Amino acid sequence: MLNTIVTTDRKNHKESIELAAYAAEKLGIKNVKRNRAALPEMREEYGVDNILVAKKGSFVLDTLDGELFFHPNMSQLRIKNIRMGDEDHMTAAMDLKEGMGVLDCTLGFGADAIVASFVTGEGGSVTGLEASPLISFVTGEGMKHFLATNYELHSAIKRVNVINADYNEYLKTLPDKSVDVIYFDPMFRHPLKDSHNINPIRAVADHRPLSIEAVNEAKRVARHRVVMKENSRSLEFARLGFDTIVGGKHSKVHYGVIKL
Ligand SMILES: C[S@@+](CC[C@H](N)C(=O)[O-])C[C@H]1O[C@@H](n2cnc3c(N)ncnc32)[C@H](O)[C@@H]1O
């Protein structure tokens, strides 16, 4: 169903072998001993598009469009800029403060969730929902195993609570006004051509557009704001009722805001 097998890298360390077995059990996918085989050969032999590779205490998902793995690159840079006093457009759109609770409905590789976790701090909370079991697994395990040298980044990563769920279903289970900010960063309707780093994610991500029903649920569940990120020229903001737009004049992405 997931069109994926799991294996280890060629070093076949004991830790990687254990991780591969864990992934196979969690995701219900076939665990294949690596030996010396190259990934394209294994892809052919087992008739799958994706191979999850356990290596060095974490996972890389090899898709037909490239490799996917968790790394807090972008969030690290954004946190550094926030600490230097620069404004982060996403947290400004959220009007995010220490101690707030955030539900990130589209976790992906978690960069936005980590930045939100840094800003909300130890007294806040960030939950990230991800519909794709593979992305949710790679991000969740990556966050669990990643060792950041900087304590604040490290603790921001560890505080993110990762849940493999579809926001369309999950939002319905939450009480009214139970989260401060609800955030959506769906796959763009019209992807930015130079956004190479997001391209491999396309192979395994959920591409459904955000619906008016989900926005209405988010408006019921959120106390403070509902925020959506999209291509700055997107018509999605108007279609879904995000009436305030935040973002740089020349920026390729904007944040639509619904203030509650
Ligand atoms: C553009 S990426 C998000 C990137 C993320 N903001 C980051 O900082 O890495 C969109 C993600 O949302 C997920 N997604 C799309 N629809 C979803 C849904 N209904 N429920 C949960 N996740 C969903 C996709 O699978 C994809 O991983």
Side-chain angles (χ1 to χ4, degrees):
M1 221 172 50
L2 291 181
N3 199 4
T4 305
I5 54 168
V6 61
T7 188
T8 63
D9 63 357
R10 281 176 164 149
K11 292 188 180 127
N12 275 309
H13 283 312
K14 185 168 171 271
E15 188 194 2
S16 305
I17 292 170
E18 283 169 7
L19 270 183
Y22 166 76
E25 159 110 42
K26 272 251 169 190
L27 291 166
I29 57 178
K30 193 175 174 62
N31 183 9
V32 179
K33 196 158 184 278
R34 179 69 184 270
N35 295 326
R36 306 298 303 163
L39 294 181
E41 287 168 17
M42 293 179 80
R43 188 170 268 129
E44 196 147 310
E45 185 176 349
Y46 292 94
V48 290
D49 285 346
N50 312 307
I51 304 185
L52 187 61
V53 182
K55 70 178 184 196
K56 288 193 210 137
S58 199
F59 292 94
V60 175
L61 181 66
D62 196 84
T63 75
L64 291 172
D65 295 335
E67 288 188 336
L68 291 172
F69 51 90
F70 170 76
H71 197 284
N73 264 341
M74 275 311 288
S75 49
Q76 187 166 8
L77 183 69
R78 282 168 62 191
I79 288 173
K80 194 169 154 211
N81 291 339
I82 293 171
R83 294 182 69 176
M84 285 180 3
D86 289 353
E87 185 179 84
D88 182 88
H89 290 310
M90 180 196 79
T91 58
M94 292 174 172
D95 188 31
L96 203 59
K97 307 269 187 303
E98 216 177 319
M100 281 183 164
V102 177
L103 179 67
D104 177 350
C105 287
T106 50
L107 180 72
F109 286 94
D112 290 331
I114 294 168
V115 173
S117 169
F118 169 73
V119 172
T120 53
E122 286 182 3
S125 72
V126 176
T127 294
L129 308 180
E130 173 52 57
S132 154
L134 292 172
I135 298 174
S136 160
F137 184 78
V138 171
T139 302
E141 290 300 312
M143 286 179 164
K144 216 193 281 176
H145 293 281
F146 195 84
L147 291 171
T149 45
N150 168 329
Y151 172 75
E152 280 181 314
L153 174 67
H154 187 80
S155 56
I157 294 171
K158 303 296 163 184
R159 282 195 302 272
V160 177
N161 174 27
V162 178
I163 302 179
N164 175 211
D166 174 349
Y167 60 70
N168 293 299
E169 303 307 320
Y170 192 86
L171 281 169
K172 289 185 201 154
T173 67
L174 297 179
D176 293 0
K177 301 200 179 305
S178 52
V179 183
D180 292 299
V181 174
I182 297 190
Y183 178 63
F184 297 99
D185 174 16
M187 300 302 286
F188 288 177
R189 293 298 91 206
H190 300 283
L192 298 170
K193 289 208 177 60
D194 55 358
S195 184
H196 295 302
N197 59 347
I198 195 99
N199 283 343
I201 205 182
R202 307 208 137 259
V204 282
D206 186 327
H207 291 258
R208 285 172 296 169
L210 183 54
S211 68
I212 290 175
E213 292 71 28
V215 174
N216 284 339
E217 278 299 297
K219 280 159 58 178
R220 176 185 67 76
V221 174
R223 277 190 287 263
H224 189 52
R225 288 190 177 185
V226 179
V227 174
M228 177 199 196
K229 176 171 158 188
E230 246 292 356
N231 187 330
S232 56
R233 288 155 51 165
S234 176
L235 302 176
E236 289 292 87
F237 294 127
R239 177 179 76 85
L240 297 164
F242 288 85
D243 45 18
T244 304
I245 305 295
V246 174
K249 204 163 143 202
H250 303 292
S251 168
K252 290 185 178 161
V253 299
H254 277 163
Y255 297 89
V257 180
I258 297 172
K259 296 180 184 168
L260 299 165

